[in-house]
Amino acid sequence: MSKANQLRSRLTRPVVLVGLMGSGKTRLGRMLARALRVRFIDTDDVVIQQAGADIPSIFETQGEQAFRDMEAAAIRDLLEGADRRVQVISTGGGAPMRPENAALIFGDTISIWTRADFPVLLERVGRSNDRPLLRNADPEKTLREMAALRYPVYRQADIVIDTDAGSLNDILSRALARIEEALTS
Ligand code: S3P
């Protein structure tokens, strides 16, 4: 059995990624799911599908609170509802800030905080315009303020992976090794 297959056979909990926008949750999440041969799902995509609209439109027409309610519903479904299974889940950067989401995300799961320095975050988020909270004159300031509020919450994760150093393969190997450790400890 390959190392990833061995790991998959021991995995009994969902793997959940948290971190700031641009920190690489989706990128790493997809790679982990492929390596472990489990489903990958992004809570932003669940919300987009349910709302039938993209995130900027949801924020614009229904407001952030409505988005947060849909996000919380998606997290409940994936972590304690009908859709709970061994899978890799990427959450939106703000998701763990609701205590009920945090209880599920950092509960009976393997949680991973993806972390990167600000220049890297800014370069990545600058590639698209689909994040309404950064559509302002100073996205760096916004990200720094978010980090100050959110890092103490993200810190509850079982595993921290720096995504601004090394190749994608290296980042994946580090994450797999840390998951293995988390299953052993
Ligand atoms: C948000 C992050 C986004 C998305 C929404 C709000 C946030 O997801 O949920 O734009 O509050 O940090 P990503 O972290 O996947 O970009």
Side-chain angles (χ1 to χ4, degrees):
M1 232 199 296
S2 76
K3 218 169 165 4
N5 276 350
Q6 274 175 33
L7 202 55
R8 166 67 188 94
S9 64
R10 292 167 54 208
L11 197 62
T12 54
R13 291 173 269 164
V15 175
V16 188
L17 293 106
V18 301
L20 279 188
M21 295 181 265
S23 65
K25 299 178 294 271
T26 301
R27 179 54 87 79
L28 176 59
R30 279 189 198 288
M31 293 193 301
L32 277 173
R34 202 174 307 125
L36 295 167
R37 299 211 187 98
V38 298
R39 178 171 82 156
F40 171 76
I41 192 150
D42 187 318
T43 60
D44 282 345
D45 291 337
V46 175
V47 171
I48 289 168
Q49 219 174 24
Q50 279 178 0
D54 61 23
I55 290 178
S57 311
I58 300 171
F59 271 68
E60 205 174 293
T61 61
Q62 304 184 52
E64 179 171 352
Q65 278 319 303
F67 170 79
R68 296 295 173 199
D69 290 343
M70 290 187 266
E71 179 176 63
I75 288 168
R76 278 198 303 277
D77 196 38
L78 291 167
L79 287 174
E80 67 171 2
D83 228 2
R84 183 179 167 95
R85 62 179 86 162
V86 177
Q87 58 190 338
V88 177
I89 303 165
S90 172
T91 60
M97 301 312 288
R98 273 207 184 174
E100 65 267 34
N101 293 347
L104 290 171
I105 290 170
F106 303 116
D108 190 15
T109 64
I110 295 194
S111 49
I112 301 179
W113 172 18
T114 52
R115 198 173 55 182
D117 267 351
F118 289 100
V120 173
L121 294 176
L122 280 163
E123 195 274 316
R124 290 183 188 155
V125 298
R127 289 183 207 152
S128 70
N129 190 28
D130 59 1
R131 293 177 170 104
L133 297 177
L134 297 180
R135 286 179 172 178
N136 60 46
D138 197 347
E140 173 163 6
K141 181 165 170 268
T142 308
L143 271 177
R144 285 185 185 276
E145 286 168 358
M146 282 179 169
L149 286 173
R150 293 177 176 183
Y151 281 9
V153 175
Y154 295 161
R155 206 161 273 140
Q156 295 173 71
D158 301 310
I159 295 171
V160 183
I161 298 290
D162 287 320
T163 64
D164 50 8
S167 66
L168 288 175
N169 268 340
D170 173 55
I171 294 166
L172 174 63
S173 311
R174 272 189 277 128
L176 288 170
R178 297 297 313 277
I179 291 172
E180 186 167 17
E181 275 169 35
L183 290 174
T184 314
S185 63

